[in-house]
Short mmCIF file of all heavy atoms in Angstrom, two decimals:
data_model
loop_
_atom_site.label_atom_id
_atom_site.label_comp_id
_atom_site.label_asym_id
_atom_site.label_seq_id
_atom_site.Cartn_x
_atom_site.Cartn_y
_atom_site.Cartn_z
N TRP A 58 11.57 -5.04 -0.05
CA TRP A 58 11.75 -5.56 -1.41
C TRP A 58 11.92 -7.06 -1.41
O TRP A 58 11.43 -7.74 -2.33
CB TRP A 58 12.95 -4.87 -2.08
CG TRP A 58 12.69 -3.41 -2.26
CD1 TRP A 58 13.29 -2.38 -1.61
CD2 TRP A 58 11.71 -2.82 -3.13
NE1 TRP A 58 12.75 -1.18 -2.01
CE2 TRP A 58 11.79 -1.41 -2.94
CE3 TRP A 58 10.80 -3.33 -4.04
CZ2 TRP A 58 10.99 -0.53 -3.65
CZ3 TRP A 58 9.98 -2.44 -4.73
CH2 TRP A 58 10.08 -1.06 -4.54
N GLU A 59 12.57 -7.61 -0.39
CA GLU A 59 12.66 -9.07 -0.28
C GLU A 59 11.29 -9.67 -0.04
O GLU A 59 10.92 -10.69 -0.64
CB GLU A 59 13.63 -9.47 0.83
CG GLU A 59 13.86 -10.97 0.92
CD GLU A 59 14.91 -11.34 1.94
OE1 GLU A 59 15.65 -10.43 2.39
OE2 GLU A 59 14.98 -12.51 2.31
N ARG A 60 10.52 -9.03 0.83
CA ARG A 60 9.17 -9.51 1.08
C ARG A 60 8.33 -9.43 -0.19
O ARG A 60 7.52 -10.33 -0.47
CB ARG A 60 8.53 -8.67 2.20
CG ARG A 60 9.14 -8.95 3.55
CD ARG A 60 8.84 -7.83 4.54
NE ARG A 60 7.42 -7.60 4.69
CZ ARG A 60 6.91 -6.55 5.32
NH1 ARG A 60 7.72 -5.64 5.83
NH2 ARG A 60 5.61 -6.42 5.43
N ALA A 61 8.50 -8.36 -0.96
CA ALA A 61 7.74 -8.23 -2.21
C ALA A 61 8.07 -9.36 -3.17
O ALA A 61 7.18 -10.00 -3.73
CB ALA A 61 8.03 -6.88 -2.86
N ARG A 62 9.35 -9.63 -3.35
CA ARG A 62 9.74 -10.68 -4.29
C ARG A 62 9.21 -12.04 -3.86
O ARG A 62 8.75 -12.83 -4.69
CB ARG A 62 11.27 -10.73 -4.42
CG ARG A 62 11.87 -9.58 -5.22
CD ARG A 62 13.33 -9.85 -5.55
NE ARG A 62 14.14 -9.93 -4.35
CZ ARG A 62 14.75 -8.88 -3.80
NH1 ARG A 62 14.63 -7.69 -4.35
NH2 ARG A 62 15.50 -9.02 -2.72
N GLU A 63 9.26 -12.32 -2.56
CA GLU A 63 8.80 -13.61 -2.08
C GLU A 63 7.29 -13.78 -2.24
O GLU A 63 6.80 -14.90 -2.32
CB GLU A 63 9.19 -13.80 -0.61
CG GLU A 63 10.68 -14.02 -0.40
CD GLU A 63 10.99 -14.39 1.04
OE1 GLU A 63 10.05 -14.37 1.88
OE2 GLU A 63 12.16 -14.69 1.32
N GLY A 64 6.57 -12.67 -2.25
CA GLY A 64 5.11 -12.75 -2.32
C GLY A 64 4.53 -12.60 -3.70
O GLY A 64 3.31 -12.57 -3.86
N PHE A 65 5.38 -12.46 -4.73
CA PHE A 65 4.86 -12.34 -6.10
C PHE A 65 4.04 -13.58 -6.46
O PHE A 65 4.48 -14.70 -6.27
CB PHE A 65 6.00 -12.17 -7.09
CG PHE A 65 6.60 -10.79 -7.15
CD1 PHE A 65 7.74 -10.55 -7.90
CD2 PHE A 65 6.04 -9.74 -6.44
CE1 PHE A 65 8.30 -9.28 -7.95
CE2 PHE A 65 6.59 -8.46 -6.49
CZ PHE A 65 7.72 -8.24 -7.26
N GLN A 66 2.85 -13.36 -7.03
CA GLN A 66 1.97 -14.46 -7.38
C GLN A 66 1.40 -14.36 -8.80
O GLN A 66 0.85 -15.32 -9.31
CB GLN A 66 0.78 -14.52 -6.41
CG GLN A 66 1.15 -14.75 -4.96
CD GLN A 66 -0.08 -14.74 -4.06
OE1 GLN A 66 -1.16 -15.19 -4.47
NE2 GLN A 66 0.07 -14.24 -2.84
N LEU A 67 1.52 -13.19 -9.44
CA LEU A 67 0.81 -12.98 -10.70
C LEU A 67 1.62 -13.48 -11.89
O LEU A 67 2.80 -13.15 -12.02
CB LEU A 67 0.50 -11.49 -10.89
CG LEU A 67 -0.30 -10.82 -9.78
CD1 LEU A 67 -0.62 -9.39 -10.15
CD2 LEU A 67 -1.57 -11.59 -9.47
N PRO A 68 1.00 -14.25 -12.77
CA PRO A 68 1.69 -14.69 -13.99
C PRO A 68 1.80 -13.55 -14.99
O PRO A 68 1.02 -12.60 -14.96
CB PRO A 68 0.78 -15.79 -14.52
CG PRO A 68 -0.59 -15.40 -14.05
CD PRO A 68 -0.38 -14.76 -12.70
N GLU A 69 2.77 -13.64 -15.86
CA GLU A 69 2.92 -12.64 -16.92
C GLU A 69 1.90 -12.91 -18.01
O GLU A 69 1.87 -13.99 -18.59
CB GLU A 69 4.34 -12.71 -17.48
CG GLU A 69 4.68 -11.61 -18.45
CD GLU A 69 6.15 -11.62 -18.83
OE1 GLU A 69 6.97 -11.10 -18.05
OE2 GLU A 69 6.48 -12.17 -19.90
N VAL A 70 1.07 -11.92 -18.29
CA VAL A 70 -0.04 -12.12 -19.23
C VAL A 70 0.36 -11.76 -20.65
O VAL A 70 0.06 -12.49 -21.60
CB VAL A 70 -1.27 -11.30 -18.79
CG1 VAL A 70 -2.38 -11.40 -19.83
CG2 VAL A 70 -1.76 -11.78 -17.43
N ASN A 71 1.02 -10.63 -20.82
CA ASN A 71 1.39 -10.15 -22.15
C ASN A 71 2.85 -9.71 -22.11
O ASN A 71 3.18 -8.61 -21.66
CB ASN A 71 0.48 -8.99 -22.57
CG ASN A 71 0.68 -8.60 -24.01
OD1 ASN A 71 1.80 -8.49 -24.49
ND2 ASN A 71 -0.42 -8.35 -24.71
N ALA A 72 3.73 -10.58 -22.60
CA ALA A 72 5.17 -10.33 -22.50
C ALA A 72 5.58 -9.06 -23.24
O ALA A 72 6.46 -8.33 -22.78
CB ALA A 72 5.94 -11.53 -23.04
N ASP A 73 4.94 -8.77 -24.38
CA ASP A 73 5.31 -7.59 -25.16
C ASP A 73 5.05 -6.31 -24.37
O ASP A 73 5.87 -5.39 -24.36
CB ASP A 73 4.55 -7.56 -26.48
CG ASP A 73 5.01 -8.64 -27.44
OD1 ASP A 73 6.14 -9.14 -27.27
OD2 ASP A 73 4.24 -8.99 -28.36
N ILE A 74 3.88 -6.24 -23.71
CA ILE A 74 3.55 -5.06 -22.92
C ILE A 74 4.49 -4.94 -21.73
O ILE A 74 4.96 -3.85 -21.39
CB ILE A 74 2.08 -5.11 -22.46
CG1 ILE A 74 1.15 -4.98 -23.67
CG2 ILE A 74 1.80 -4.02 -21.44
CD1 ILE A 74 -0.31 -5.08 -23.33
N VAL A 75 4.79 -6.07 -21.09
CA VAL A 75 5.70 -6.05 -19.94
C VAL A 75 7.06 -5.52 -20.35
O VAL A 75 7.65 -4.66 -19.68
CB VAL A 75 5.82 -7.45 -19.32
CG1 VAL A 75 6.91 -7.47 -18.26
CG2 VAL A 75 4.49 -7.89 -18.71
N ARG A 76 7.60 -6.04 -21.48
CA ARG A 76 8.92 -5.57 -21.94
C ARG A 76 8.88 -4.09 -22.28
O ARG A 76 9.84 -3.37 -22.03
CB ARG A 76 9.36 -6.37 -23.15
CG ARG A 76 9.49 -7.87 -22.99
CD ARG A 76 10.64 -8.28 -22.07
NE ARG A 76 10.24 -8.31 -20.68
CZ ARG A 76 9.52 -9.31 -20.15
NH1 ARG A 76 9.07 -10.32 -20.89
NH2 ARG A 76 9.23 -9.29 -18.86
#
Side-chain angles (χ1 to χ4, degrees):
W58 296 110
E59 185 175 346
R60 290 161 57 191
R62 287 192 297 269
E63 288 188 355
F65 282 173
Q66 299 178 34
L67 304 185
E69 188 172 279
V70 175
N71 189 316
D73 290 339
I74 293 177
V75 172
R76 301 292 87 77

